[in-house]
Amino acid sequence: LGALGWRHLAVSAARSAICAALMGICVRALALQLLPSTDLNWVKLLIGLTVCIGFGAIVFGGFAFAFRAPELQAVIQMAVKRKPIS
């Protein structure tokens, strides 16, 4: 896709989109089980939402690891070294 590295960017964007779609499917399935559909108790909603967000982050990270996303390695290195994002 050209000399500017567009192919690398397109592959990275596609990999992220696939991870996001798979995460969405998994989180939706969990949300159907956890989030109440009739009882609108805000505590239950907050707990269910918090669990779904955490689960989504773990699932996305797992799929990114499975697809060997180099961006995940950069995030892990920043977290371990506590280096600011530049």
Side-chain angles (χ1 to χ4, degrees):
L1 288 171
L4 296 176
W6 291 105
R7 179 183 174 129
H8 177 71
L9 290 173
V11 169
S12 179
R15 186 179 4 217
S16 294
I18 291 169
C19 289
L22 293 170
M23 176 196 66
I25 292 168
C26 294
V27 169
R28 175 69 178 151
L30 180 65
L32 288 173
Q33 299 299 314
L34 286 183
L35 298 177
S37 60
T38 56
D39 181 17
L40 297 179
N41 181 345
W42 70 272
V43 174
K44 289 181 183 178
L45 288 173
L46 182 63
I47 291 170
L49 180 63
T50 304
V51 170
C52 286
I53 290 171
F55 180 71
I58 292 168
V59 169
F60 186 91
F63 282 121
F65 179 78
F67 291 139
R68 296 185 179 109
E71 300 85 5
L72 180 63
Q73 293 300 327
V75 170
I76 290 171
Q77 286 176 355
M78 281 188 281
V80 169
K81 295 180 182 179
R82 299 194 185 270
K83 203 168 82 172
I85 299 173
S86 55

